[in-house]
Each structure stands twice: as structure tokens, then as C-alpha cells.
Amino acid sequence: MPEGDAVYRTAARLRGALDGRVLTRSDFRVPRHATADLTGRAVVTTLSRGKHLLTRVEGDLTVHTHLRMDGSWRIMPTGRRTAPGDLVRLILANERWQAVGVRLGMVDLVRTGDEGRLVGHLGPDLLGPDWDPDEAVRRLRVSPGRTIGEALLDQRNLAGIGTIYRAETLFLRGIWPWRRVGEIEDLAGLVSLAQRLLEANTSHAGTVTTGDRRPANQTWVYGRAGRPCRRCGTRISRGEMGTQPQERLILWCAGCQRG
Ligand SMILES: [Zn+2]
């Protein structure tokens, strides 16, 4: 699942292809907006907000998309055919480039002035210009009895963390994922580390938290269930957190992250 850093990179690619150019085609393949047509309007820009993408178009319109589990935006020269079998939900094209939204989890079209209805609930964006660690900590502290693992994934507390950064950040701080928020003294250090990890991955594909980009060495615990911890040798544990149907994958080292 794409996390904040991947969405941030996607926004940059969309800006490169669409910003300032007039749309020659828009094709919304979602029932709600099937008749929408943005042809003739210039794209102003695309912003990421947590895991949401906001593509602003002339005339006070914003295309809102979310990659959810396995969505992606592909950029290709206009006119090139998409791969057969691709579940295309939206195409935005200008004379030169087309942005093809595949398997998008959400596609919406709203007034730009109404963006707040879509993303106003989000906590501080770890990769946003307005990142505010104090506000993220304040929001986390509102529910001291919650597990830190669940609280970090709640985008209302802070926006951009998914299961990879959750697992990696908690490992690096030595925090057992089921510890209660109220038991963690240095929440500021925790959210700042998460922010630094995401930021370090905004300029290249993939998620590297170890500083070692070789494919087998990129993470401490994520993707390493059953393998020895890089620090203490304990086998990495794998489980799920949260209540159905919201449970999500968690990996941790029982040696380094004690309850
Ligand atoms: Zn360990």
C-alpha cells in the first residue's frame, strides 16, 4: 500500500506532466462523475496531503484521488494505449502527456474551496509544508489508552504513515506496538523520527529505513517475518493490529521491542 512518501512522489510526477498545461481530454470512469469534462481547462497544480492527492484545475475545481491499496498514477505520452487489463478509473491528458489513474481507491471532483471536506480531518502532514510535530503529539495524547500502533495509522492524528513506516519507526524507538500512547514518554521523538524516515524516501522509489538501499537490506522488520533481527538476532514477529475489518499488518522484534 502506498504511504505518504509514495504519494508525495506521485504528486511531483503529476505536477511535471500536467501543471500549467491545458487538458485536451478528461475521462472519469466512475459512475458519480462519468459525465464530468475538464477539457479546455488548465491544470494549476497537484498537491499531496497525507495519502490524498489534490489536482487543482482552473475554474475552482479539484480532482481528488486516493491510491488506497494498490492504486497508481502512470504518466505516459498522450495517445499511448494503456496496458490491457489495467483498471483505469481516470485519465487526464494534455497535448503532450497523459496521466492514467489505475485502480484508484477514490475519485472525486469538488470545488477547490471545498477541499477541506475531503482532507480537513487529517492531522499534520508529515511531508507537508505545514508539518507540526507539536500538533501531532497533541492529537495522539487525546486518546492515551489507545495502542501506539493503531494511533500512528490514524490519519486524523498525523497524515502519511502506513504499515511500513509504523513498523519501522516503532522498531527504531524500541517500542512494542501494543504499548499505550499514555505510557510513551517521548512521543515528540517518535513522530519526528517517522517524519525523517518518510522525508528520506521522497527522492527515490522504495522504502529504505536502514540507510542501505540493497534490496534485501532496506528495512529492519517490515517484510522480514521469521528472519533474524538485524540487531539482536531474535526472529521477527508478524501479526495484525486493530479490529476487523480494519486490522492491518504489524511486524516487530520481541527482543528489541518489549511489552
Ligand atoms: Zn531485535
Side-chain angles (χ1 to χ4, degrees):
M1 182 185 220
E3 303 194 21
D5 57 330
V7 177
Y8 181 94
R9 292 195 301 271
T10 298
R13 288 191 297 114
L14 287 168
R15 286 195 292 273
L18 301 178
D19 273 20
R21 294 193 166 105
V22 174
L23 293 171
T24 53
R25 179 187 180 200
S26 76
D27 184 355
F28 287 80
R29 300 186 189 172
V30 291
R32 199 165 158 209
H33 300 296
T35 60
D37 185 4
L38 303 178
T39 303
R41 297 173 189 260
V43 173
V44 179
T45 195
T46 296
L47 306 171
S48 58
R49 188 85 179 88
K51 297 194 253 178
H52 298 253
L53 289 160
L54 302 170
T55 301
R56 294 178 181 163
V57 179
E58 264 182 350
D60 189 37
L61 289 173
T62 292
V63 179
H64 167 237
T65 57
H66 193 292
L67 306 180
R68 283 273 173 85
M69 294 306 285
D70 56 356
S72 63
W73 272 106
R74 298 179 194 164
I75 311 291
M76 59 184 81
T78 291
R80 182 179 293 176
R81 295 185 56 179
T82 56
D86 274 355
L87 189 61
V88 176
R89 305 294 301 278
L90 174 58
I91 298 174
L92 297 174
N94 53 50
E95 283 193 340
R96 185 157 178 209
W97 299 108
Q98 59 182 354
V100 180
V102 178
R103 293 188 182 278
L104 299 175
M106 267 188 237
V107 176
D108 257 313
L109 183 61
V110 299
R111 295 271 158 212
T112 299
D114 290 339
E115 285 177 359
R117 292 209 324 253
L118 304 167
V119 295
H121 65 290
L122 296 174
D125 180 354
L126 289 129
L127 296 175
D130 54 347
W131 164 240
D132 181 348
D134 295 337
E135 174 62 11
V137 168
R138 189 192 69 75
R139 290 178 178 229
L140 286 166
R141 287 209 172 113
V142 168
S143 303
R146 225 174 162 199
T147 66
I148 187 63
E150 286 175 272
L152 286 180
L153 275 202
D154 188 335
Q155 306 295 301
R156 294 171 297 185
N157 290 330
L158 64 178
I161 294 180
T163 50
I164 303 175
Y165 286 99
R166 165 170 79 174
E168 296 294 297
T169 304
L170 290 174
F171 171 83
L172 284 164
R173 300 292 296 188
I175 296 171
W176 189 53
W178 283 268
R179 266 179 78 185
R180 306 289 156 178
V181 169
E183 297 168 0
I184 295 166
E185 284 173 19
D186 191 8
L187 281 174
L190 179 67
V191 300
S192 292
L193 175 63
Q195 196 275 337
R196 290 199 302 278
L197 290 176
L198 264 95
E199 191 164 49
N201 284 293
T202 53
S203 55
H204 58 85
T207 300
V208 180
T209 58
T210 55
D212 185 338
R213 288 204 202 179
R214 288 176 292 176
N217 296 355
Q218 294 179 353
T219 57
W220 294 100
V221 290
Y222 197 87
R224 302 196 67 245
R227 301 179 60 195
C229 172
R230 298 188 195 280
R231 277 188 177 160
C232 75
T234 304
R235 288 193 185 284
I236 301 298
S237 304
R238 179 186 193 280
E240 290 190 335
M241 288 195 85
T243 46
Q244 291 184 336
Q246 301 283 322
E247 71 272 37
R248 302 273 303 277
L249 187 63
I250 181 73
L251 293 108
W252 73 101
C253 171
C256 295
Q257 298 164 263
R258 293 184 180 278

